[in-house]
Amino acid sequence: NTWSITGANSGAASLSGDAVTFTNFASLTGNANTDVFSFGASGSLSGTIDGAGNTGDSINIAAVAGANTVNVTSATTGSSISGILTNGFSNVELFTGDNTADIFVNNSAINSAFRITGPNDGDVDFGVTVFAAADYTYTDFISLTGGTGVDSFAMGNTLSGLIDGAGGGTDSASFTAGQTVTLNGINTGISNIETLNMNGAGVLVGGTGANTWLLDTAGTGGQVTNGATVTFTNTPTIQTGIGTD
């Protein structure tokens, strides 16, 4: 089934091959088939989306301008998509952003494990801190935000935005592709991350403002404070930021 939300609570759908249009429907519910819900530039729903029975249901917000936030609250539910979907979603597993500004958020106190498997692409496992199996897959989201629990970020590739642990537990990020990581910055920046492992490759760059570095005797780990303190390990290269170091 293909659903196109083109206006406020309105749009068109192809349901098992039958074409329909809908007006003044606040909520949409799929069925046991695969459901694709796509928002046009002016599309919005004041209710909810329920993918229902299939495990490959998706929401696409690539056509909607601005920094839109997908707020996930459990392994099967979300509270909202800012400015687009007021009252949340359930039973939707796949999300597509605009590769320009959109943000995928764990808006809960549940622990979560994020993986970044391609440029601005990856998946999330809820209720754990070490990834086991995907509850959600995201494509073309430039930034990721954790919840108030413990969040881990396994960086097998890059983000053009920011990884934000958001506070709460001891959040961690592990990099495996030799990236350049900037405190409180963009282009694979990090914020509210307490432990960082560069796995022997890449560069850690200080953030804007004052950075205070404390290096260990091996020269590959230590701590850096820029507002908050990050403990880093297996980091062969550090670089001063644009502030005072």
Side-chain angles (χ1 to χ4, degrees):
N1 303 314
T2 302
W3 307 76
S4 298
I5 302 98
T6 55
N9 294 337
S10 63
S14 175
L15 306 178
S16 300
D18 295 325
V20 299
T21 59
F22 58 91
T23 303
N24 295 326
F25 281 81
S27 298
L28 302 176
T29 300
N31 59 19
N33 296 325
T34 299
D35 293 282
V36 178
F37 302 90
S38 297
F39 286 84
S42 301
S44 64
L45 293 174
S46 59
T48 64
I49 286 177
D50 185 352
N54 195 282
T55 58
D57 299 324
S58 63
I59 292 177
N60 188 319
I61 60 172
V64 184
N68 303 297
T69 300
V70 173
N71 294 295
V72 176
T73 52
S74 77
T76 58
T77 60
S79 59
S80 67
I81 302 177
S82 60
I84 303 172
L85 182 61
T86 303
N87 288 314
F89 52 85
S90 58
N91 302 306
V92 176
E93 295 79 29
L94 312 174
F95 293 84
T96 301
D98 65 356
N99 211 32
T100 301
D102 292 337
I103 307 167
F104 199 90
V105 178
N106 172 4
N107 191 18
S108 77
I110 301 172
N111 297 342
S112 62
F114 288 78
R115 291 195 310 176
I116 295 79
T117 56
N120 297 333
D121 301 340
D123 41 26
V124 189
D125 190 358
F126 258 72
V128 299
T129 56
V130 177
F131 187 95
D135 292 312
Y136 298 101
T137 298
Y138 62 87
T139 301
D140 293 342
F141 282 80
I142 71 162
S143 295
L144 305 174
T145 301
T148 56
V150 177
D151 303 289
S152 67
F153 300 85
M155 300 294 299
N157 218 291
T158 59
L159 290 176
S160 53
L162 178 70
I163 303 162
D164 187 350
T170 300
D171 301 318
S172 64
S174 177
F175 293 81
T176 57
Q179 297 101 320
T180 296
V181 180
T182 304
L183 295 178
N184 304 316
I186 59 172
N187 295 321
T188 314
I190 59 170
S191 179
N192 298 305
I193 297 293
E194 285 74 38
T195 63
L196 173 68
N197 186 349
M198 297 295 288
N199 283 293
V203 181
L204 176 59
V205 182
T208 302
N211 302 285
T212 301
W213 302 84
L214 177 64
L215 303 182
D216 63 19
T217 56
T220 59
Q223 293 182 329
V224 57
T225 302
N226 181 309
T229 297
V230 179
T231 299
F232 58 92
T233 57
N234 299 314
T235 304
T237 304
I238 61 172
Q239 180 178 314
T240 59
I242 63 174
T244 302
D245 291 82

